[in-house]
C-alpha cells in the first residue's frame, strides 16, 4: 500500500536541526529492531542536488530522519559515507548508520552515575523493591547515565528523556555494574508485561518532532493476535519460512552471593547459596525437553531483604531467553485492513499460520523495509521469541562497516 515516495527523508545537522530533505534517493533500506539498535542504508546519485547536505565535509556529525506518512520510523547519525564511480562515469553515494538507540549501547551503567569514575563508592547501581513503575525506573537509568541528569562528560548532547506515564509494574529489584544501558533496559522491560491481555514495554531514542533534539521514549506494544493474522488463505502472505530450535535452558541454577572456601593451594570462591528455577515450555515442538544451566549472580546477597525479588528477575530472564526459539520470516502482502505502520507495529504480538505446526503467536522482533525508486516497497518481517531476534545487518551495511574497519586499522597502524 506504500510507494517509495511515501517515505520522507530529512537531513539534520550536529545540533539535530533539520536542514533539508532528500527526495531523490534511489534506494533506502531500514531494519527496525524491537528493543535493540536499528540500522539504515541510503543510496543516491553523486550528482544529486542534495549531495552537499549529506557530505561529512559540509555537514559533520549529521544524521537522517526517516518518516512514513509523517510518522518517524527512526532517526540516526551518519556513521559511514561511501563514494563509488562506475566505468561509464556514473557515480553514487552510499550512506549508512545505526538509529539513535545506539547511544544506549554506547553508555554503561555506572554504580554511582552522579560521580566521576575515580570516585565510585558503590559496587552496583542498585534498586530495591522500588515503588516506582518499570517505565520510571528505565527513564531514571537513562537520565542518570547519559541524559540531562548525567555528569557533564557523559551527557549526550541534545538528548532529553520523555516524561514517565508510570507504566509497568512496581516492586522491581535489580543490580547493574558497567553493563551497557541498552542491555539493562531490555532486561528490565522484559520483566514487566502490562495490561490484559498482556503487552510489553518497548523503548527507543528518536528525533523529536516538535523541536531540535532527540528523546528517549518508552512505548507500549499491543496484543493483535485476533486482528493481525497472516496466512496464504487470507491472501496477505507472499512467502514465509519457519524454524523451531530446541531450548538452551529450561532449568536455571542461580549461584547467589560469594564466599571463600579453603583449598589445598588457594582459597576458592563459590556461591553462598544455590537456587533453582524451572520453566514449562509453552511451545509444543519440544515437550519435556530439559536443559540445565548455571548462572553466577554473585551480586545478589542471599540475606538481603529483596533477595527473592532479585533472584526471580534473574531466573526468569535466563529462562525467557533460553526458551524454545521460534522464528518466522515472512513477506506480507499489504491489504486495506492490514498494513505495517497503520494496523500493526514493531513489538506487537501477531498470529501467523504455517504448515506442520499450530498457529504461531509471537512478537514482531524485526521489520526490514526497502524503498526503491524503481520497484517500490518490499517488506520482510521477523516474528518470534526473544532468542530468535536475528539482529541481522543488511549486506550493504556489512560491506561498508568492513571497509570502515579496514580504513581505521590503516590509519591507526604504527
Amino acid at each position: 500500500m506504500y510507494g517509495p515516495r511515501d517515505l520522507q527523508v530529512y537531513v539534520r545537522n550536529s545540533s539535530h536541526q533539520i536542514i533539508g530533505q532528500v527526495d531523490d534517493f534511489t534506494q533506502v533500506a531500514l531494519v527496525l529492531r524491537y528493543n535493540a539498535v536499528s540500522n539504515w542504508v541510503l543510496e543516491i546519485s553523486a550528482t544529486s542536488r542534495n549531495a552537499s547536505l549529506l557530505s561529512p565535509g559540509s555537514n559533520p556529525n549529521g544524521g537522517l530522519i526517516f518518516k512514513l506518512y509523517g510518522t518517524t520510523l527512526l532517526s540516526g547519525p551518519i556513521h559511514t559515507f561511501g563514494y563509488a564511480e562506475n566505468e561509464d562515469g556514473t557515480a553514487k553515494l552510499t550512506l549508512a548508520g545505526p538509529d539513535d538507540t545506539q547511544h544506549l549501547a554506547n553508555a554503561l551503567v555506572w554504580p554511582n552515575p552522579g560521580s566521576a569514575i575515580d570516585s565510585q563508592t558503590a559496587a552496583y547501581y542498585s534498586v530495591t523493591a522500588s515503588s516506582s513503575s518499570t517505565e520510571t525506573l528505565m527513564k531514571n537509568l537513562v537520565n542518570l547515565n547519559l541524559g540531562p541528569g548525567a555528569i557533564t562528560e557523559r551527557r549526550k548532547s541534545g538528548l532529553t528523556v520523555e516524561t514517565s506515564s508510570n507504566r509497568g509494574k512496581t516492586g522491581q529489584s535489580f543490580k547493574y555494574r558497567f553493563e551497557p544501558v541498552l542491555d539493562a533496559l531490555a532486561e528490565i522491560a522484559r520483566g514487566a508485561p502490562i495490561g490484559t491481555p498482556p503487552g510489553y514495554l518497548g523503548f527507543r531514542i528518536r528525533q523529536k518532532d516538535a523541536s531540535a533534539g532527540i528523546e528517549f521514549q518508552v512505548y507500549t506494544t499491543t496484543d493483535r493476535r485476533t486482528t493481525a493474522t497472516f496466512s496464504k488463505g487470507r491472501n496477505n502472505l507472499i512467502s514465509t519460512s519457519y524454524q523451531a530450535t530446541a531450548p538452551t535452558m529450561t532449568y536455571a541454577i542461580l549461584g547467589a552471593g560469594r564466599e571463600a572456601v579453603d583449598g589445598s593451594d588457594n582459597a576458592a570462591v563459590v556461591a553462598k547459596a544455590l537456587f533453582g528455577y524451572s520453566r514449562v515450555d509453552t511451545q509444543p515442538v519440544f515437550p519435556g525437553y530439559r536443559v540445565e544451566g548455571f548462572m553466577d549472580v554473585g551480586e545478589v546477597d542471599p540475606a538481603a531483604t529483596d533477595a527473592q525479588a532479585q533472584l526471580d528477575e534473574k531466573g526468569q530472564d535466563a529462562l525467557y531467553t533460553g526458551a524454545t526459539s521460534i522464528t518466522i520470516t515472512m513477506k506480507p502482502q499489504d491489504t486495506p485492513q492490514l498494513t505495517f505502520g497503520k494496523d500493526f507495529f514493531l513489538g506487537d504480538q501477531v498470529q501467523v499460520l504455517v504448515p506442520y505446526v499450530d498457529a504461531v503467536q509471537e512478537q514482531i522482533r524485526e521489520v526490514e523495509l526497502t524503498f526503491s525508486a524503481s520497484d517500490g516497497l518490499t517488506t520482510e518481517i521477523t516474528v518470534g521469541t526473544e532468542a530468535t531476534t536475528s539482529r541481522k545487518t543488511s549486506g550493504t551495511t556489512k560491506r561498508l562497516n568492513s571497509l570502515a574497519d579496514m580504513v581505521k586499522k590503516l590509519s591507526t597502524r604504527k
Side-chain angles (χ1 to χ4, degrees):
M1 305 302 287
Y2 293 121
R5 299 310 171 203
D6 296 326
L7 179 75
Q8 299 90 45
V9 182
Y10 297 93
V11 185
R12 71 186 188 194
N13 61 17
S14 59
S15 299
H16 303 103
Q17 297 171 317
I18 295 177
I19 59 174
Q21 181 176 359
V22 176
D23 56 3
D24 57 346
F25 59 83
T26 54
Q27 182 168 291
V28 167
L30 307 177
V31 182
L32 313 177
R33 298 185 178 95
Y34 174 68
N35 287 358
V37 178
S38 300
N39 287 91
W40 59 267
V41 179
L42 179 143
E43 294 183 358
I44 190 171
S45 169
T47 60
S48 164
R49 65 187 184 282
N50 295 304
S52 60
L53 291 174
L54 302 171
S55 168
S58 58
N59 186 20
N61 294 322
L64 297 180
I65 305 163
F66 300 90
K67 293 188 175 186
L68 189 61
Y69 276 177
T71 298
T72 300
L73 291 177
L74 62 81
S75 59
I78 299 171
H79 272 192
T80 304
F81 180 88
Y83 169 85
E85 183 174 345
N86 299 319
E87 293 179 358
D88 61 3
T90 59
K92 71 174 182 178
L93 304 178
T94 304
L95 295 85
D99 78 323
D100 287 316
T101 305
Q102 177 68 48
H103 300 304
L104 300 174
N106 293 346
L108 303 179
V109 182
W110 287 18
N112 292 121
S115 301
I117 196 63
D118 56 358
S119 300
Q120 298 290 300
T121 58
Y124 298 94
Y125 178 89
S126 179
V127 168
T128 302
S130 177
S131 60
S132 297
S133 67
T134 303
E135 179 182 358
T136 298
L137 295 177
M138 293 166 67
K139 290 180 173 176
N140 287 344
L141 189 70
V142 173
N143 180 51
L144 295 175
N145 284 280
L146 66 153
I151 59 177
T152 302
E153 67 184 80
R154 304 188 67 206
R155 198 174 300 157
K156 172 57 187 173
S157 176
L159 174 64
T160 57
V161 177
E162 181 186 54
T163 301
S164 177
S165 297
N166 297 314
R167 291 168 290 192
K169 66 180 183 180
T170 59
Q172 282 181 281
S173 297
F174 50 78
K175 289 184 178 181
Y176 294 108
R177 175 180 171 83
F178 299 117
E179 290 90 350
V181 171
L182 179 71
D183 294 349
L185 291 172
E187 184 176 273
I188 296 169
R190 192 180 298 135
I194 59 175
T196 305
Y200 296 88
L201 292 177
F203 60 85
R204 63 202 173 200
I205 295 181
R206 275 187 178 175
Q207 179 84 17
K208 294 176 67 175
D209 289 329
S211 62
I214 53 177
E215 183 177 60
F216 174 72
Q217 303 170 348
V218 172
Y219 63 96
T220 57
T221 64
T222 303
D223 185 339
R224 302 183 189 274
R225 290 175 292 180
T226 59
T227 60
T229 296
F230 299 88
S231 70
K232 286 284 189 177
R234 293 175 183 247
N235 295 318
N236 60 9
L237 196 57
I238 299 172
S239 65
T240 184
S241 62
Y242 168 85
Q243 178 173 294
T245 304
T248 58
M249 187 185 301
T250 63
Y251 186 83
I253 302 171
L254 273 58
R258 294 188 177 94
E259 64 180 353
V261 178
D262 290 336
S264 56
D265 298 319
N266 299 304
V269 177
V270 299
K272 283 185 178 181
L274 298 173
F275 302 85
Y277 286 82
S278 61
R279 174 190 175 104
V280 177
D281 200 329
T282 58
Q283 302 294 343
V285 288
F286 301 103
Y289 191 64
R290 180 181 173 96
V291 186
E292 297 179 345
F294 179 80
M295 284 188 62
D296 180 2
V297 291
E299 69 272 19
V300 179
D301 180 1
T305 57
D306 65 333
Q308 193 62 56
Q310 291 187 62
L311 290 167
D312 290 346
E313 293 277 351
K314 297 291 185 182
Q316 294 306 317
D317 187 69
L319 294 172
Y320 188 81
T321 55
T324 298
S325 169
I326 300 293
T327 305
I328 289 183
T329 301
M330 64 178 182
K331 289 186 177 180
Q333 174 65 59
D334 287 345
T335 67
Q337 296 78 28
L338 202 56
T339 298
F340 176 75
K342 291 182 178 179
D343 307 299
F344 64 98
F345 305 87
L346 187 69
D348 286 351
Q349 297 173 73
V350 298
Q351 178 172 246
V352 187
L353 304 183
V354 294
Y356 304 109
V357 296
D358 293 334
V360 175
Q361 300 178 339
E362 293 292 345
Q363 278 185 286
I364 297 175
R365 299 286 175 177
E366 185 171 286
V367 178
E368 182 167 356
L369 303 170
T370 302
F371 295 84
S372 170
S374 58
D375 300 327
L377 168 67
T378 59
T379 305
E380 184 173 291
I381 295 177
T382 300
V383 175
T385 58
E386 174 76 13
T388 69
T389 304
S390 63
R391 303 213 185 341
K392 64 186 177 184
T393 305
S394 67
T396 303
T397 305
K398 287 182 178 178
R399 291 192 296 273
L400 289 171
N401 287 345
S402 297
L403 178 60
D405 289 342
M406 291 172 61
V407 172
K408 182 178 180 181
K409 289 177 182 178
L410 289 173
S411 63
T412 57
R413 186 177 296 166
K414 295 182 179 179

